[in-house]
Amino acid sequence: MSNLQEIIITDPEQIQKEIKGLFENKIQLTFYQKGCKPQAVFAKGIDKKAAKTPLLVLFKPKEFEARQEMCNIFYRLEGQYMRGFQAVPHKEAKRFLALELPNDIFQIQLRKNPRVKTPPDSRVMFSQVGKQRLILTNLLDISLGGAKLRGRITANIKKGDIIGPLSFTLCMKNFKLDETTLNIYKAKVIRIKEIGGDEQETELAISYKLNEKEQMPLEDYMHIRDLEDATAKQS
């Protein structure tokens, strides 16, 4: 995977304190199991009466069915790297899910400019600075610092040109209807490659600098794509 994962909390009292903060501050969590669609959930509290050990109770805004096997929960606190933990679902109802409390909580930091491949439906729409014509291309891969585009580009674009604004549609591999939209003000063309054949396509490598608002959804997308690829290799 392209991430640095570090265990940061192991003390049971500190784990419960961290989880308490999740439901007190209404932090959205991402529930993920191998081969299943990532789901948004919210922590509702810790139930210390219904089982021999305390259970974390999650609220499901949209109905889904969890398997009774290890799941991953991810979340982001303001100004912090993404955090997460693993747990096993214990009980489930229509809108609620109870998990065993985790043994530890880890922090996830993307390596500097890791690159993930994007599924075929991913695309980029952009224009040249000062021109109104829109150009639509496929997105081959993306990182926090750049991307690779490919398509039939008839416009006169050269290495070193500034293009933008750019609108990215980032698709998941297993769940094609799930899309992340990312808008970037401008990017620089750092490499151009003409692709032969009937299509006469052009491949562009671009670089950009993201602000925090742009970087956070891209980090989240890249981490889920990492998980999709990692779990596929384990199958």
Side-chain angles (χ1 to χ4, degrees):
M1 292 176 67
S2 304
N3 303 319
L4 294 172
Q5 184 170 305
E6 175 189 8
I7 294 176
I8 56 173
I9 304 176
T10 57
D11 180 72
E13 289 187 7
Q14 290 299 314
I15 289 174
Q16 291 198 31
K17 182 179 179 180
E18 175 92 355
I19 290 174
K20 185 178 178 182
L22 296 179
F23 60 78
E24 287 181 342
N25 295 297
K26 299 180 180 179
I27 303 295
Q28 180 174 305
L29 316 176
T30 298
F31 176 95
Y32 181 81
Q33 280 185 312
K34 178 180 177 180
C36 297
K37 178 180 178 180
Q39 300 283 351
V41 295
F42 291 88
K44 296 300 292 182
I46 297 176
D47 186 349
K48 298 183 179 181
K49 299 179 181 179
K52 293 181 180 179
T53 59
L55 298 176
L56 168 60
V57 180
L58 303 177
F59 171 69
K60 302 185 288 187
K62 294 183 179 180
E63 292 181 45
F64 68 89
E65 187 173 344
R67 301 191 303 267
Q68 289 194 339
E69 59 187 56
M70 191 66 72
C71 69
N72 294 276
I73 302 290
F74 303 104
Y75 59 93
R76 186 190 294 275
L77 303 178
E78 186 175 356
Q80 302 290 328
Y81 291 117
M82 184 182 289
R83 294 184 178 188
F85 56 84
Q86 292 186 318
V88 177
H90 188 80
K91 295 192 299 184
E92 186 169 19
K94 186 175 181 180
R95 289 287 187 176
F96 293 93
L97 178 65
L99 308 177
E100 297 176 359
L101 287 180
N103 295 319
D104 53 57
I105 292 176
F106 51 81
Q107 178 174 274
I108 305 165
Q109 179 182 353
L110 286 170
R111 298 180 189 272
K112 184 177 180 181
N113 288 347
R115 190 169 294 273
V116 298
K117 292 183 179 179
T118 49
D121 291 341
S122 299
R123 55 199 180 275
V124 184
M125 182 177 289
F126 66 92
S127 61
Q128 292 175 276
V129 172
K131 297 184 180 180
Q132 294 184 341
R133 181 182 177 185
L134 294 176
I135 301 169
L136 180 64
T137 65
N138 294 325
L139 176 64
L140 302 182
D141 59 43
I142 193 166
S143 75
L144 296 179
K148 188 182 294 182
L149 325 178
R150 182 171 176 173
R152 299 186 67 181
I153 301 174
T154 57
N156 183 24
I157 297 178
K158 305 179 298 298
K159 180 180 177 180
D161 282 357
I162 304 299
I163 58 176
L166 304 93
S167 178
F168 291 72
T169 301
L170 308 173
C171 297
M172 295 296 178
K173 185 176 182 179
N174 297 329
F175 312 103
K176 296 183 179 180
L177 295 180
D178 282 8
E179 297 179 347
T180 297
T181 301
L182 174 69
N183 296 311
I184 297 178
Y185 179 63
K186 66 179 181 178
K188 183 178 182 179
V189 178
I190 58 174
R191 188 170 64 254
I192 299 177
K193 180 181 179 182
E194 299 298 332
I195 309 297
D198 297 335
E199 295 296 326
Q200 290 296 317
E201 293 184 320
T202 301
E203 192 172 279
L204 298 181
I206 62 173
S207 66
Y208 43 72
K209 292 183 178 180
L210 304 179
N211 58 38
E212 185 175 356
K213 184 178 180 181
E214 295 165 337
Q215 183 169 320
M216 286 178 62
L218 180 54
E219 282 188 357
D220 292 349
Y221 168 80
M222 291 175 65
H223 182 64
I224 295 297
R225 280 290 299 114
D226 259 348
L227 278 173
E228 285 188 318
D229 288 345
T231 53
K233 290 177 182 178
Q234 294 169 5
S235 300

